[in-house]
Amino acid sequence: MGSFDVPLEDERTQLDAFIEEHRDAIEKTLDGLTEEQARRRLVPSATTLLGLLKHVTWMQRVWFEECVGGTPRQDLGLAANPDESFRLTDGDTIASITAAHREARATARTVVADLPLDTVATGHRTGPRTLRWVYLQVLRELTQHCGHADILREQILAG
C-alpha cells in the first residue's frame, strides 16, 4: 500500500505507508546493477548506492532498536557514527545488505507495533523523543537518501 492509497486514513497508517514506500524505493535503486556498479563511487565522499542502503539500514536500527527499543548501539553491533555506517566491507554484497535492510524493516515494525505515536522513547543519546518524532526523522532520512540514490543510479546507468 502506497502513500496515495491512504490519504484519509489515520496518521499512523499514513506514516507507515510513506516509510514503507521509501524503504522499497531505496532498495529498488539497486535493481539490475552489478556488484561493481552498486559500489561505484561517483562523489568525493564514501557515498555509493550500496553504502546508502547500508547506511539507511543502520539509521533505522538506531532509531527503532536503540532509541525506541532501548538497546544500546554497541549491543546491537552497529557502527558508532553515521560516517562509519556507509563504509563497505569486502563481504558486503547487494544480497547481504538488502537482506540486512529487510531484517531491520521487520524488526522496526515489531518494535513499534503496539506503541502509540505519543510514546516517549528514551534510548537515544541525545534525549527523549516521541515515536511520532522518530517516524518523521526516519522518513526525512529515507527521502533524502532516496534522492541521493536516484541521482547516483542515473549517473551509473548513463556511464
Side-chain angles (χ1 to χ4, degrees):
M1 180 174 348
S3 58
F4 281 93
D5 298 322
V6 295
L8 301 176
E9 301 295 328
D10 63 282
E11 181 182 19
R12 178 66 170 266
T13 301
Q14 291 175 359
L15 289 170
D16 283 333
F18 272 92
I19 286 176
E20 288 300 325
E21 192 170 68
H22 285 81
R23 285 170 169 162
D24 288 342
I26 199 154
E27 281 188 21
K28 287 178 183 169
T29 63
L30 295 170
D31 285 356
L33 298 183
T34 66
E35 295 292 334
E36 183 279 324
Q37 288 172 315
R39 290 172 160 275
R40 191 176 298 165
R41 286 181 65 177
L42 300 168
V43 294
S45 72
T47 305
T48 63
L49 278 174
L50 192 58
L52 280 169
L53 185 58
K54 187 173 185 176
H55 168 72
V56 299
T57 300
W58 174 88
M59 175 272 299
Q60 291 176 83
R61 293 193 68 201
V62 165
W63 288 113
F64 291 116
E65 296 176 46
E66 180 182 43
C67 181
V68 178
T71 304
R73 77 180 64 174
Q74 306 89 283
D75 294 352
L76 294 168
L78 296 176
N81 61 60
D83 289 342
E84 290 177 22
S85 72
F86 282 91
R87 293 193 186 120
L88 299 172
T89 67
D90 290 342
D92 289 334
T93 65
I94 293 170
S96 71
I97 299 299
T98 300
H101 184 244
R102 289 179 182 169
E103 183 178 331
R105 291 170 70 160
T107 300
R109 286 190 294 269
T110 299
V111 167
V112 301
D114 297 324
L115 300 176
L117 290 174
D118 292 331
T119 298
V120 176
T122 58
H124 198 266
R125 64 179 184 239
T126 60
R129 304 278 189 258
T130 64
L131 181 58
R132 177 180 289 103
W133 189 96
V134 169
Y135 264 72
L136 292 171
Q137 171 63 16
V138 168
L139 182 58
R140 180 176 73 108
E141 286 221 30
L142 284 168
T143 57
Q144 176 184 8
H145 293 311
C146 279
H148 297 148
D150 285 344
I151 291 167
L152 291 176
R153 182 179 172 87
E154 184 177 329
Q155 289 178 317
I156 287 166
L157 294 177

